[in-house]
Coordinates of all heavy atoms in Angstrom, one line a residue:
M30 N -14.6 34.5 38.6 CA -15.4 34.1 39.7 C -15.6 32.6 39.6 O -16.0 32.0 38.6 CB -16.8 34.8 39.6 CG -17.6 34.4 40.8 SD -19.2 35.4 41.0 CE -19.5 36.3 39.6
T31 N -15.2 31.9 40.7 CA -15.3 30.4 40.7 C -16.3 30.0 41.8 O -16.1 30.3 43.0 CB -13.9 29.8 41.1 OG1 -13.0 30.3 40.1 CG2 -13.9 28.3 41.1
T32 N -17.3 29.3 41.3 CA -18.3 28.7 42.2 C -18.3 27.2 42.1 O -18.2 26.7 41.0 CB -19.7 29.2 41.8 OG1 -19.8 30.6 41.8 CG2 -20.8 28.7 42.8
D33 N -18.3 26.6 43.2 CA -18.3 25.1 43.3 C -19.4 24.6 44.1 O -19.8 25.3 45.1 CB -16.9 24.6 43.8 CG -15.7 24.9 42.9 OD1 -15.8 24.6 41.7 OD2 -14.8 25.5 43.4
I34 N -19.9 23.4 43.8 CA -20.8 22.7 44.7 C -20.1 21.5 45.2 O -19.5 20.7 44.4 CB -22.1 22.3 43.8 CG1 -22.7 23.5 43.1 CG2 -23.1 21.6 44.7 CD1 -23.4 24.5 44.0
R35 N -20.3 21.2 46.5 CA -19.6 20.1 47.1 C -20.4 19.6 48.3 O -21.3 20.3 48.8 CB -18.2 20.4 47.5 CG -18.1 21.4 48.5 CD -16.6 21.5 49.1 NE -16.4 22.7 49.9 CZ -16.8 22.8 51.2 NH1 -17.5 21.8 51.7 NH2 -16.5 23.9 51.9
S36 N -20.1 18.4 48.8 CA -20.8 17.9 50.0 C -20.3 18.8 51.2 O -19.1 19.2 51.2 CB -20.4 16.5 50.2 OG -20.9 15.6 49.2
A37 N -21.2 19.0 52.1 CA -20.9 19.8 53.3 C -20.0 18.9 54.2 O -20.1 17.7 54.2 CB -22.1 20.2 54.0
T38 N -19.1 19.6 54.9 CA -18.3 18.9 55.9 C -18.7 19.4 57.2 O -19.4 20.4 57.4 CB -16.8 19.3 55.7 OG1 -16.6 20.7 56.0 CG2 -16.3 19.0 54.3
P39 N -18.3 18.6 58.3 CA -18.7 19.1 59.6 C -18.2 20.6 59.9 O -18.9 21.3 60.6 CB -17.9 18.1 60.5 CG -17.9 16.9 59.7 CD -17.7 17.3 58.3
A40 N -17.1 21.0 59.3 CA -16.7 22.3 59.5 C -17.6 23.4 58.8 O -17.6 24.5 59.2 CB -15.3 22.5 58.9
D41 N -18.4 22.9 57.9 CA -19.3 23.9 57.2 C -20.6 24.1 57.9 O -21.4 25.0 57.6 CB -19.7 23.3 55.8 CG -18.5 23.2 54.9 OD1 -17.7 24.0 54.9 OD2 -18.5 22.2 54.1
M42 N -20.9 23.2 58.9 CA -22.3 23.2 59.4 C -22.8 24.4 60.2 O -23.9 24.8 60.1 CB -22.5 21.9 60.3 CG -22.5 20.6 59.5 SD -23.6 20.6 58.0 CE -25.2 20.9 58.8
E43 N -21.9 25.1 60.8 CA -22.4 26.3 61.5 C -22.7 27.4 60.4 O -23.7 28.1 60.6 CB -21.3 26.9 62.5 CG -21.9 28.0 63.4 CD -23.3 27.6 64.0 OE1 -23.4 26.5 64.6 OE2 -24.2 28.5 64.0
T44 N -22.0 27.4 59.3 CA -22.3 28.4 58.3 C -23.7 27.9 57.6 O -24.5 28.8 57.3 CB -21.2 28.4 57.2 OG1 -20.0 28.8 57.8 CG2 -21.6 29.4 56.1
V45 N -23.9 26.6 57.4 CA -25.1 26.1 56.9 C -26.3 26.5 57.8 O -27.3 27.0 57.3 CB -25.1 24.6 56.7 CG1 -26.4 24.0 56.4 CG2 -24.1 24.2 55.6
R46 N -26.1 26.4 59.1 CA -27.2 26.8 60.0 C -27.5 28.3 59.9 O -28.6 28.7 60.0 CB -26.8 26.4 61.4 CG -26.9 24.9 61.7 CD -26.5 24.5 63.1 NE -26.5 23.0 63.2 CZ -25.4 22.2 63.0 NH1 -24.2 22.8 62.8 NH2 -25.5 20.9 63.1
E47 N -26.4 29.1 59.8 CA -26.6 30.5 59.7 C -27.3 30.9 58.4 O -28.2 31.7 58.4 CB -25.3 31.3 59.8 CG -25.5 32.8 60.0 CD -26.3 33.1 61.2 OE1 -26.2 32.5 62.3 OE2 -27.2 34.1 61.1
L48 N -27.0 30.2 57.3 CA -27.7 30.4 56.0 C -29.2 30.0 56.2 O -30.1 30.7 55.6 CB -27.1 29.5 54.9 CG -25.7 30.0 54.4 CD1 -25.1 29.0 53.6 CD2 -25.9 31.4 53.7
C49 N -29.5 29.0 56.9 CA -30.9 28.6 57.2 C -31.6 29.6 58.0 O -32.8 29.9 57.7 CB -30.9 27.2 57.9 SG -30.4 25.8 56.9
R50 N -31.0 30.2 59.0 CA -31.6 31.3 59.8 C -31.8 32.5 58.9 O -32.9 33.1 59.0 CB -30.6 31.7 60.9 CG -30.6 30.6 62.0 CD -29.6 31.1 63.2 NE -29.3 30.0 64.1 CZ -28.2 29.3 64.1 NH1 -27.2 29.6 63.2 NH2 -28.0 28.3 64.9
D51 N -30.9 32.8 58.0 CA -31.1 33.9 57.1 C -32.2 33.6 56.1 O -33.0 34.6 55.9 CB -29.8 34.2 56.3 CG -28.6 34.7 57.1 OD1 -28.9 35.2 58.2 OD2 -27.5 34.7 56.6
Y52 N -32.4 32.4 55.7 CA -33.5 32.0 54.8 C -34.8 32.2 55.5 O -35.7 32.8 54.9 CB -33.3 30.6 54.3 CG -34.4 30.1 53.4 CD1 -34.6 30.6 52.2 CD2 -35.2 29.0 53.9 CE1 -35.6 30.2 51.4 CE2 -36.2 28.5 53.1 CZ -36.4 29.1 51.8 OH -37.4 28.7 51.0
R53 N -34.9 31.8 56.7 CA -36.2 31.9 57.5 C -36.5 33.4 57.7 O -37.6 33.8 57.5 CB -36.1 31.2 58.9 CG -37.4 31.3 59.6 CD -37.2 30.6 61.0 NE -38.5 30.6 61.7 CZ -39.0 31.6 62.3 NH1 -38.4 32.8 62.3 NH2 -40.2 31.6 62.9
R54 N -35.5 34.2 58.0 CA -35.7 35.7 58.1 C -36.2 36.3 56.8 O -37.1 37.1 56.8 CB -34.5 36.4 58.6 CG -34.2 36.2 60.1 CD -33.1 37.1 60.6 NE -31.8 36.7 60.2 CZ -31.0 35.9 60.8 NH1 -31.4 35.3 61.9 NH2 -29.8 35.6 60.4
L55 N -35.6 35.9 55.7 CA -36.0 36.4 54.4 C -37.5 36.0 54.1 O -38.2 36.8 53.6 CB -35.1 35.8 53.3 CG -35.4 36.2 51.9 CD1 -35.3 37.7 51.7 CD2 -34.6 35.4 50.9
L56 N -37.8 34.7 54.4 CA -39.2 34.3 54.1 C -40.2 35.1 55.0 O -41.2 35.5 54.4 CB -39.4 32.8 54.5 CG -38.7 31.8 53.6 CD1 -38.9 30.4 54.1 CD2 -39.2 31.9 52.2
I57 N -39.9 35.4 56.2 CA -40.8 36.2 57.1 C -40.9 37.6 56.5 O -42.0 38.2 56.4 CB -40.3 36.1 58.5 CG1 -40.6 34.8 59.1 CG2 -41.0 37.2 59.3 CD1 -40.0 34.5 60.5
E58 N -39.8 38.1 56.1 CA -39.7 39.5 55.6 C -40.6 39.6 54.3 O -41.4 40.5 54.2 CB -38.3 39.9 55.3 CG -38.1 41.2 54.7 CD -36.6 41.5 54.4 OE1 -35.8 41.4 55.3 OE2 -36.3 41.7 53.2
R59 N -40.5 38.6 53.5 CA -41.3 38.6 52.2 C -42.7 38.2 52.4 O -43.6 38.6 51.6 CB -40.6 37.7 51.2 CG -39.3 38.3 50.7 CD -38.7 37.6 49.6 NE -37.5 38.2 49.1 CZ -36.8 37.7 48.1 NH1 -37.1 36.6 47.5 NH2 -35.7 38.4 47.8
A60 N -43.0 37.5 53.5 CA -44.4 37.0 53.7 C -45.3 38.2 54.1 O -46.5 38.0 54.0 CB -44.4 35.9 54.7
G61 N -44.8 39.2 54.7 CA -45.6 40.3 55.1 C -46.6 39.9 56.2 O -46.2 39.3 57.2
D62 N -47.9 40.2 55.9 CA -48.9 39.8 56.9 C -49.2 38.3 56.9 O -50.1 37.9 57.7 CB -50.1 40.7 56.7 CG -50.8 40.4 55.4 OD1 -50.2 39.8 54.5 OD2 -51.9 40.9 55.2
R63 N -48.5 37.5 56.1 CA -48.7 36.1 56.1 C -47.6 35.3 56.8 O -47.3 34.2 56.5 CB -48.9 35.6 54.7 CG -50.1 36.2 54.0 CD -50.3 35.7 52.6 NE -49.1 35.7 51.8 CZ -48.7 36.7 51.0 NH1 -49.4 37.8 50.9 NH2 -47.6 36.7 50.3
G64 N -46.9 36.0 57.7 CA -45.7 35.4 58.4 C -46.0 34.2 59.2 O -45.2 33.3 59.4
E65 N -47.3 34.0 59.6 CA -47.7 32.8 60.3 C -47.5 31.6 59.4 O -47.3 30.5 60.0 CB -49.1 32.9 60.8 CG -50.2 32.8 59.8 CD -50.5 34.2 59.1 OE1 -49.9 35.2 59.5 OE2 -51.3 34.2 58.1
A66 N -47.6 31.7 58.1 CA -47.4 30.6 57.2 C -45.9 30.1 57.4 O -45.7 28.9 57.4 CB -47.7 30.9 55.8
V67 N -45.0 31.0 57.4 CA -43.6 30.6 57.6 C -43.4 29.9 59.0 O -42.8 28.9 59.1 CB -42.7 31.8 57.5 CG1 -41.2 31.4 57.8 CG2 -42.8 32.4 56.1
D68 N -44.0 30.5 60.0 CA -43.9 29.9 61.3 C -44.5 28.6 61.4 O -44.1 27.7 62.2 CB -44.5 30.9 62.4 CG -43.9 30.7 63.7 OD1 -42.7 30.7 63.8 OD2 -44.7 30.6 64.7
A69 N -45.5 28.3 60.6 CA -46.1 26.9 60.6 C -45.1 25.9 60.1 O -45.1 24.7 60.6 CB -47.3 26.9 59.7
Y70 N -44.3 26.2 59.1 CA -43.3 25.3 58.6 C -41.9 25.3 59.4 O -41.3 24.3 59.5 CB -43.0 25.6 57.1 CG -44.1 25.1 56.2 CD1 -45.0 26.1 55.7 CD2 -44.2 23.8 55.9 CE1 -46.0 25.7 54.9 CE2 -45.3 23.4 55.1 CZ -46.1 24.3 54.6 OH -47.2 23.9 53.8
Y71 N -41.6 26.5 59.9 CA -40.3 26.7 60.6 C -40.6 27.5 61.9 O -40.3 28.7 62.0 CB -39.4 27.6 59.7 CG -39.1 27.0 58.4 CD1 -39.5 27.7 57.2 CD2 -38.4 25.8 58.3 CE1 -39.2 27.2 56.0 CE2 -38.1 25.3 57.0 CZ -38.5 26.0 55.9 OH -38.2 25.5 54.6
P72 N -41.2 26.8 62.9 CA -41.6 27.4 64.2 C -40.4 28.1 64.8 O -39.3 27.5 65.0 CB -42.2 26.3 65.0 CG -42.5 25.2 64.1 CD -41.5 25.3 62.9
A73 N -40.6 29.3 65.2 CA -39.5 30.1 65.9 C -39.0 29.4 67.1 O -37.8 29.4 67.4 CB -40.0 31.5 66.2
D74 N -39.9 28.9 67.9 CA -39.5 28.3 69.2 C -38.7 27.0 69.1 O -38.0 26.6 70.1 CB -40.7 28.2 70.2 CG -41.8 27.2 69.6 OD1 -41.8 27.0 68.4 OD2 -42.6 26.8 70.4
T75 N -38.7 26.3 68.0 CA -38.0 25.1 67.8 C -37.0 25.1 66.7 O -36.4 24.1 66.4 CB -39.0 23.9 67.7 OG1 -39.8 24.1 66.5 CG2 -39.9 23.7 68.9
F76 N -36.9 26.2 66.0 CA -36.1 26.3 64.8 C -34.6 26.0 65.0 O -34.0 25.2 64.3 CB -36.2 27.6 64.1 CG -35.7 27.6 62.7 CD1 -36.2 26.8 61.7 CD2 -34.6 28.5 62.4 CE1 -35.7 26.8 60.4 CE2 -34.1 28.5 61.1 CZ -34.6 27.7 60.1
D77 N -34.0 26.5 66.1 CA -32.6 26.3 66.4 C -32.4 24.8 66.8 O -31.4 24.2 66.4 CB -32.1 27.2 67.5 CG -31.7 28.6 66.9 OD1 -31.3 28.7 65.7 OD2 -31.8 29.6 67.6
E78 N -33.3 24.2 67.5 CA -33.2 22.8 67.8 C -33.3 22.0 66.5 O -32.5 21.0 66.4 CB -34.4 22.4 68.7 CG -34.3 23.0 70.1 CD -35.5 22.7 70.9 OE1 -36.2 21.7 70.7 OE2 -35.8 23.6 71.8
F79 N -34.2 22.3 65.6 CA -34.3 21.7 64.3 C -32.9 21.8 63.6 O -32.4 20.8 63.0 CB -35.4 22.3 63.5 CG -35.4 21.9 62.0 CD1 -35.7 20.6 61.7 CD2 -35.0 22.8 61.1 CE1 -35.7 20.2 60.3 CE2 -35.0 22.4 59.7 CZ -35.3 21.1 59.4
L80 N -32.3 22.9 63.6 CA -31.1 23.1 62.8 C -30.0 22.2 63.4 O -29.1 21.8 62.6 CB -30.6 24.6 62.9 CG -31.5 25.6 62.2 CD1 -30.9 27.0 62.3 CD2 -31.7 25.2 60.7
E81 N -30.0 21.9 64.7 CA -29.0 21.0 65.2 C -29.1 19.6 64.8 O -28.2 18.8 64.9 CB -29.0 21.1 66.8 CG -28.6 22.4 67.3 CD -27.2 22.8 66.9 OE1 -26.3 22.0 66.9 OE2 -27.0 24.0 66.6
T82 N -30.3 19.2 64.2 CA -30.5 17.9 63.7 C -30.3 17.7 62.2 O -30.5 16.6 61.7 CB -31.9 17.4 64.0 OG1 -32.9 18.2 63.2 CG2 -32.2 17.5 65.5
L83 N -29.8 18.8 61.5 CA -29.7 18.7 60.0 C -28.8 17.5 59.6 O -29.2 16.8 58.6 CB -29.1 20.0 59.5 CG -30.0 21.2 59.6 CD1 -29.3 22.5 59.1 CD2 -31.3 21.0 58.9
E84 N -27.7 17.3 60.3 CA -26.8 16.3 59.8 C -27.4 14.9 60.0 O -27.1 14.0 59.2 CB -25.5 16.4 60.6 CG -24.7 17.6 60.2 CD -23.5 17.9 61.2 OE1 -23.8 18.2 62.3 OE2 -22.4 17.8 60.7
T85 N -28.3 14.7 61.0 CA -29.0 13.4 61.2 C -30.1 13.3 60.2 O -30.2 12.2 59.5 CB -29.6 13.4 62.6 OG1 -28.5 13.5 63.5 CG2 -30.3 12.1 62.9
I86 N -30.9 14.3 60.0 CA -32.0 14.2 59.1 C -31.5 14.0 57.6 O -32.2 13.2 56.9 CB -32.8 15.5 59.1 CG1 -33.5 15.7 60.4 CG2 -33.9 15.6 58.0 CD1 -34.1 17.1 60.6
H87 N -30.4 14.6 57.3 CA -29.9 14.5 55.9 C -28.7 13.5 55.8 O -27.9 13.7 54.8 CB -29.6 15.9 55.4 CG -30.8 16.8 55.5 ND1 -31.8 16.7 54.6 CD2 -31.0 17.8 56.3 CE1 -32.7 17.7 54.9 NE2 -32.2 18.4 55.9
A88 N -28.6 12.6 56.6 CA -27.5 11.6 56.6 C -27.6 10.7 55.5 O -28.7 10.3 55.0 CB -27.5 10.9 57.9
A89 N -26.5 10.3 54.9 CA -26.4 9.2 53.9 C -26.9 7.9 54.5 O -26.7 7.7 55.7 CB -24.9 9.1 53.4
P90 N -27.4 7.0 53.8 CA -27.5 7.0 52.3 C -28.8 7.7 51.8 O -29.0 7.8 50.6 CB -27.5 5.5 52.0 CG -28.2 4.9 53.1 CD -27.8 5.8 54.4
R91 N -29.7 8.2 52.7 CA -31.0 8.7 52.2 C -31.0 10.2 52.1 O -32.0 10.8 51.6 CB -32.1 8.2 53.1 CG -32.3 6.7 53.1 CD -33.4 6.3 53.9 NE -33.6 7.0 55.1 CZ -34.5 6.8 56.0 NH1 -35.4 5.8 55.8 NH2 -34.6 7.5 57.1
G92 N -29.9 10.9 52.4 CA -29.9 12.3 52.3 C -28.5 12.9 52.1 O -27.5 12.1 52.0
K93 N -28.5 14.2 51.9 CA -27.2 14.9 51.6 C -27.4 16.3 51.9 O -28.5 16.9 51.7 CB -26.8 14.6 50.1 CG -25.5 15.1 49.8 CD -25.0 14.3 48.6 CE -23.5 14.4 48.4 NZ -22.7 13.4 49.0
I94 N -26.3 17.0 52.3 CA -26.2 18.4 52.4 C -25.1 18.9 51.5 O -24.0 18.4 51.5 CB -25.9 18.9 53.9 CG1 -27.0 18.3 54.8 CG2 -25.8 20.4 53.9 CD1 -26.7 18.6 56.3
L95 N -25.5 19.8 50.6 CA -24.5 20.4 49.7 C -24.3 21.8 50.0 O -25.2 22.5 50.5 CB -25.0 20.3 48.2 CG -25.3 18.8 47.7 CD1 -26.0 18.9 46.4 CD2 -24.0 18.1 47.6
V96 N -23.1 22.3 49.7 CA -22.8 23.7 49.9 C -22.3 24.3 48.5 O -21.6 23.6 47.8 CB -21.8 24.0 51.0 CG1 -22.4 23.7 52.3 CG2 -20.5 23.3 50.8
A97 N -22.6 25.5 48.3 CA -22.0 26.3 47.2 C -20.9 27.2 47.8 O -21.1 27.8 48.8 CB -23.1 27.1 46.5
T98 N -19.8 27.2 47.1 CA -18.7 28.0 47.6 C -18.3 29.0 46.5 O -18.4 28.7 45.3 CB -17.5 27.2 48.0 OG1 -17.0 26.5 46.8 CG2 -17.8 26.2 49.1
L99 N -17.9 30.2 46.9 CA -17.4 31.2 46.0 C -16.0 31.6 46.5 O -15.9 32.0 47.7 CB -18.4 32.4 46.0 CG -18.0 33.6 45.1 CD1 -17.9 33.1 43.6 CD2 -19.0 34.7 45.3
H100 N -15.0 31.3 45.7 CA -13.6 31.6 46.2 C -13.3 30.9 47.5 O -12.7 31.4 48.4 CB -13.3 33.1 46.3 CG -13.6 33.8 45.0 ND1 -12.9 33.6 43.8 CD2 -14.5 34.8 44.7 CE1 -13.4 34.4 42.9 NE2 -14.4 35.1 43.4
G101 N -13.9 29.7 47.7 CA -13.6 28.9 48.8 C -14.5 29.2 50.0 O -14.5 28.5 51.0
E102 N -15.4 30.2 50.0 CA -16.2 30.5 51.1 C -17.6 30.0 50.8 O -18.2 30.2 49.7 CB -16.3 32.1 51.3 CG -17.2 32.5 52.4 CD -17.2 34.0 52.5 OE1 -16.4 34.7 51.9 OE2 -18.2 34.5 53.2
V103 N -18.3 29.4 51.8 CA -19.6 28.9 51.7 C -20.6 30.0 51.6 O -20.6 30.9 52.5 CB -20.0 27.9 52.9 CG1 -21.5 27.5 52.8 CG2 -19.1 26.7 52.9
V104 N -21.3 30.1 50.5 CA -22.3 31.1 50.2 C -23.7 30.6 50.0 O -24.6 31.4 49.9 CB -21.9 32.0 49.0 CG1 -20.5 32.7 49.3 CG2 -21.7 31.2 47.8
G105 N -23.9 29.3 50.0 CA -25.3 28.8 49.8 C -25.3 27.3 50.2 O -24.2 26.7 50.3
C106 N -26.5 26.8 50.3 CA -26.6 25.4 50.7 C -27.9 24.8 50.2 O -28.8 25.6 49.9 CB -26.5 25.2 52.2 SG -27.8 26.0 53.2
G107 N -27.9 23.5 50.1 CA -29.2 22.8 49.7 C -29.1 21.4 50.4 O -28.1 20.9 50.7
M108 N -30.3 20.9 50.7 CA -30.4 19.6 51.4 C -31.5 18.8 50.8 O -32.5 19.3 50.2 CB -30.8 19.9 52.9 CG -29.7 20.6 53.6 SD -30.3 21.3 55.2 CE -29.8 23.0 55.0
L109 N -31.3 17.5 50.8 CA -32.3 16.6 50.3 C -32.4 15.3 51.2 O -31.4 15.0 51.9 CB -32.0 16.2 48.9 CG -30.7 15.5 48.6 CD1 -30.9 14.0 48.5 CD2 -30.1 16.0 47.3
T110 N -33.6 14.8 51.3 CA -33.8 13.6 52.1 C -34.9 12.8 51.4 O -35.9 13.4 50.9 CB -34.2 13.9 53.5 OG1 -33.2 14.7 54.1 CG2 -34.6 12.7 54.3
T111 N -34.8 11.5 51.4 CA -35.9 10.6 51.0 C -36.4 10.0 52.3 O -35.6 9.6 53.2 CB -35.4 9.6 50.0 OG1 -34.4 8.8 50.6 CG2 -34.9 10.2 48.7
F112 N -37.7 9.9 52.4 CA -38.3 9.3 53.5 C -38.9 7.9 53.1 O -39.5 7.8 52.1 CB -39.4 10.2 54.1 CG -38.9 11.5 54.6 CD1 -39.0 12.6 53.9 CD2 -38.4 11.5 55.9 CE1 -38.5 13.8 54.4 CE2 -37.9 12.7 56.4 CZ -37.9 13.9 55.6
Q113 N -38.8 6.9 54.0 CA -39.3 5.6 53.7 C -40.3 5.2 54.7 O -40.3 5.6 55.8 CB -38.2 4.6 53.7 CG -37.3 4.8 52.6 CD -36.1 3.8 52.5 OE1 -36.0 2.9 53.4 NE2 -35.3 3.8 51.6

């Protein structure tokens, strides 16, 4: 099993967005009756719009989007940004 971490490419971004949607669904599922806490951080009505801005929010030199690949397929992601 080969897992690699690399910078995301434009071709990866739809998969990254889908992983983010899956993450939000998982948080809501696990939050149970506290789902409003997830919605406070990731509002349902603006979440897809937010996902379209990921490349801008996490643009170099202050940010980065990384993907984890397994046998060449993107299976995870992480993002970082510094704010000034």
Side-chain angles (χ1 to χ4, degrees):
M30 182 169 14
T31 302
T32 303
D33 294 306
I34 306 291
R35 62 171 172 75
S36 294
T38 67
D41 296 323
M42 290 310 298
E43 192 50 46
T44 302
V45 167
R46 288 181 185 94
E47 193 56 40
L48 287 167
C49 290
R50 289 181 192 100
D51 290 344
Y52 178 64
R53 184 181 183 281
R54 281 190 288 273
L55 176 67
L56 290 176
I57 289 171
E58 181 181 300
R59 291 190 176 176
D62 62 350
R63 297 180 313 268
E65 70 278 352
V67 175
D68 206 45
Y70 287 101
Y71 304 114
D74 59 342
T75 59
F76 193 63
D77 279 331
E78 292 171 30
F79 167 72
L80 293 180
E81 292 302 319
T82 68
L83 292 177
E84 291 168 294
T85 301
I86 295 169
H87 303 290
R91 296 186 320 184
K93 190 153 195 95
I94 301 174
L95 300 171
V96 294
T98 63
L99 179 63
H100 304 296
E102 180 181 345
V103 174
V104 295
C106 63
M108 295 163 233
L109 59 101
T110 298
T111 58
F112 295 99
Q113 295 180 356

